[in-house]
Amino acid sequence: MGSWKGHAIPEMLERGSDRGRIAVITRAHVHMRSWRVFGKAGVPVDRSLKTASGLLGVVGIGEAPIGRRGTFSLWRSVNDMKQWAFESPQH
């Protein structure tokens, strides 16, 4: 998983429990020349995410200008989110 402005956000999160929920927003800046490759590479990641243990919901989001993509996801716990993000072969 990447960083946000040089900060490794997942490492900064406190260990959660199965009782706590967490909302996660991801962002990616995709250059126009990479748009098609990024889209194709995202298909298996999207499939894996939608079946991830502990995922309560996810929606794709975008923002202006064109080329910035993201997701908003809600997880049962920080541990569930980290398990998918760091251990899913597709991600």
Side-chain angles (χ1 to χ4, degrees):
M1 218 155 65
S3 63
W4 188 20
K5 296 187 178 188
H7 298 282
I9 301 301
E11 282 120 34
M12 298 169 66
L13 297 174
E14 292 182 26
R15 186 171 180 89
S17 72
D18 285 338
R19 293 188 321 240
R21 289 183 169 57
I22 182 171
V24 177
I25 296 174
T26 63
R27 296 183 69 224
H29 181 84
V30 183
H31 295 283
M32 290 301 287
R33 66 181 176 273
S34 303
W35 192 256
R36 189 173 298 183
V37 172
F38 184 85
K40 284 180 82 172
V43 172
V45 176
D46 186 55
R47 285 187 191 127
S48 171
L49 175 61
K50 288 181 178 174
T51 62
S53 176
L55 180 71
L56 301 174
V58 62
V59 64
I61 56 176
E63 66 179 79
I66 294 172
R68 293 193 179 166
R69 309 256 318 186
T71 60
F72 173 85
S73 57
L74 184 62
W75 296 84
R76 186 175 50 217
S77 70
V78 171
N79 296 334
D80 286 328
M81 180 274 296
K82 283 184 172 182
Q83 182 177 0
W84 180 80
F86 293 111
E87 296 177 21
S88 169
Q90 294 81 8
H91 191 243

